[in-house]
Amino acid sequence: MEFTENFKKSNNFRINGQMLYITDANGHELELFVGEEVETARWSDEGRLIVVLKGGAVRSYENEVNYIKI
């Protein structure tokens, strides 16, 4: 499932262990299970979700399922 523009425009991230929550301007929340402890997250200029894991790995998500390790 693709990230919609309302979430791509949001920098409102909440992290709870392996879960990442993104809240848009209308209060809608996207819940993403990462599978490893999340340190931080942000959007890239290209619209990909960059997730830094506590173990030091970095993932670049193109949608809610597919990612590459960078």
Side-chain angles (χ1 to χ4, degrees), residues 4-64:
T4 56
E5 286 302 314
N6 57 320
F7 290 111
K8 287 183 178 182
K9 292 178 182 176
S10 174
N11 285 316
N12 188 357
F13 297 103
R14 183 171 55 89
I15 298 164
N16 184 5
Q18 298 179 8
M19 300 297 297
L20 174 64
Y21 303 90
I22 307 168
T23 305
D24 71 7
N26 297 318
H28 299 112
E29 188 172 74
L30 173 67
E31 180 179 281
L32 181 67
F33 177 71
V34 176
E36 294 185 48
E37 294 284 319
V38 177
E39 179 77 28
T40 191
R42 70 175 292 275
W43 293 105
S44 73
D45 292 340
E46 295 80 26
R48 295 178 69 93
L49 180 63
I50 307 299
V51 177
V52 179
L53 306 175
K54 288 197 175 183
V58 179
R59 294 181 181 177
S60 174
Y61 284 83
E62 65 179 291
N63 57 41
E64 293 179 39

